[in-house]
Amino acid sequence: MESPEKTKAMVREKYTAIAQQSQTENAASCCGIDSCCATVDYSIFSEDYTALSGYVPAADLALGCGIPVEHARIAIGNTVVDLGSGAGNDAFVAGKLVGPTGKVIGIDMTPAMVEKAQQLATELAFDNVSFLLGEIENMPLAAETADVVVSNCVLNLVPDKTKAFAEIQRILKPQGHFCISDVVLKGALPEALRGAAEMYAGCVSGALQKNDYMGIIHDLGFKNVSIKAEKQIHIPDAILLNYLDEAALAEFHASGMGIFSITVYAEKECCDKTTGCC
């Protein structure tokens, strides 16, 4: 297994390349990783944002696995933080929802993505949307900054997911909430897939078991935890055969292992359970 820093460097390198690609190129690939599935002509993970107010086609790199902003209960005047904001797809939609009295802060660890998103915000006069360079495990934000945290198919790429959710808890205001779309597993992923860099950056090999993922959220004390959307992701054999031989592929299909996209909602607990100050 790669060290956390090597994993981050690999993900940063892949997403720097993705930042230079078009939405069409990314939608025809495995979460933007062109080398692993160049012959596949449809998107595996991404959802259709085109009907949403605030949608910016140039910001849509087809990298998501859900539409968290639809379930995030974003209100006018809210401060929203978008984790792994990429070119700004979710951030710009959230910017319309919060209105001129609210603000949206996107955080991404890839400089090319931050640059691309900030350029779009400037060009399109999204004055209430800004982007910061930073890592989810150590966000450059003060405690109790956000009313709402959203993220789309990113936390599975973070090596320390417990620390990532603890940071979400830290930056949320008392009784704030998050809505996150992510990739999880049910059953054991073959070793050949777990070790594939492209599949890791392509949203699969960094994923946790669903029960472990939900367990982190519950263990940190979030309340009213619920799954708002869930669907199984079917990765074509054309992609899997880059990593598995025919026998391993047959075993993979027979194992019952599943890859799922889930959208999870949860609320931060009261600021002090003893005094009940909330």
Side-chain angles (χ1 to χ4, degrees):
M1 180 178 293
E2 299 283 2
S3 70
E5 289 310 311
K6 285 185 178 180
T7 297
K8 290 176 186 178
M10 180 271 296
V11 171
R12 190 178 289 112
E13 178 184 355
K14 292 294 183 183
Y15 280 83
T16 297
I18 290 168
Q20 312 305 320
Q21 294 178 179
S22 69
Q23 196 263 7
T24 301
E25 289 172 310
N26 287 318
S29 61
C30 173
C31 249
I33 307 306
D34 194 42
S35 62
C36 74
C37 46
T39 61
V40 179
D41 62 358
Y42 52 87
S43 174
I44 297 170
F45 295 91
S46 62
E47 300 282 354
D48 185 2
Y49 272 70
T50 56
L52 299 183
S53 179
Y55 174 70
V56 176
D60 185 1
L61 301 181
L63 299 175
C65 56
I67 308 181
V69 290
E70 283 194 321
H71 304 280
R73 302 181 185 178
I74 297 170
I76 292 174
N78 278 169
T79 295
V80 178
V81 175
D82 179 15
L83 304 181
S85 48
N89 193 34
D90 286 274
F92 293 130
V93 174
K96 284 291 186 182
L97 293 172
V98 302
T101 60
K103 65 179 177 179
V104 179
I105 304 167
I107 296 177
D108 202 284
M109 72 171 187
T110 303
M113 285 293 189
V114 174
E115 181 180 353
K116 185 181 183 78
Q118 193 59 61
Q119 181 179 357
L120 286 171
T122 301
E123 290 175 355
L124 299 171
F126 273 87
D127 297 331
N128 62 346
V129 181
S130 61
F131 298 91
L132 297 175
L133 184 66
E135 296 185 1
I136 294 172
E137 295 153 304
N138 186 24
M139 293 185 225
L141 294 174
E144 300 184 3
T145 292
D147 298 289
V148 184
V149 169
V150 296
S151 186
N152 198 345
C153 213
V154 172
L155 290 191
N156 54 292
L157 301 175
V158 175
D160 190 336
K161 294 167 181 60
T162 298
K163 190 172 182 181
F165 276 107
E167 274 288 271
I168 292 171
Q169 189 176 56
R170 181 185 69 82
I171 70 165
L172 277 172
K173 297 176 183 179
Q175 296 186 301
H177 61 271
F178 72 73
C179 192
I180 291 171
S181 296
D182 218 343
V183 172
V184 295
L185 306 176
K186 294 181 183 178
L189 195 69
E191 181 63 35
L193 295 184
R194 288 200 302 269
E198 289 89 350
M199 291 295 281
Y200 192 101
C203 309
V204 177
S205 297
L208 291 181
Q209 293 293 318
K210 179 182 176 182
N211 288 342
D212 294 338
Y213 190 97
M214 299 302 293
I216 291 171
I217 296 169
H218 286 288
D219 289 347
L220 284 169
F222 287 99
K223 64 179 182 178
N224 295 329
V225 180
S226 62
I227 294 178
K228 298 298 184 182
E230 180 172 349
K231 70 174 182 179
Q232 187 166 6
I233 306 297
H234 297 283
I235 299 181
D237 290 353
I239 295 174
L240 296 174
L241 284 171
N242 284 279
Y243 310 100
L244 306 174
D245 59 25
E246 293 285 354
L249 179 65
E251 183 178 348
F252 173 76
H253 286 314
S255 70
M257 196 284 288
I259 301 168
F260 290 81
S261 162
I262 59 172
T263 298
V264 184
Y265 173 93
E267 299 169 359
K268 183 175 179 177
E269 269 283 18
C270 198
C271 56
D272 189 329
K273 295 179 183 180
T274 303
T275 63
C277 65
C278 294

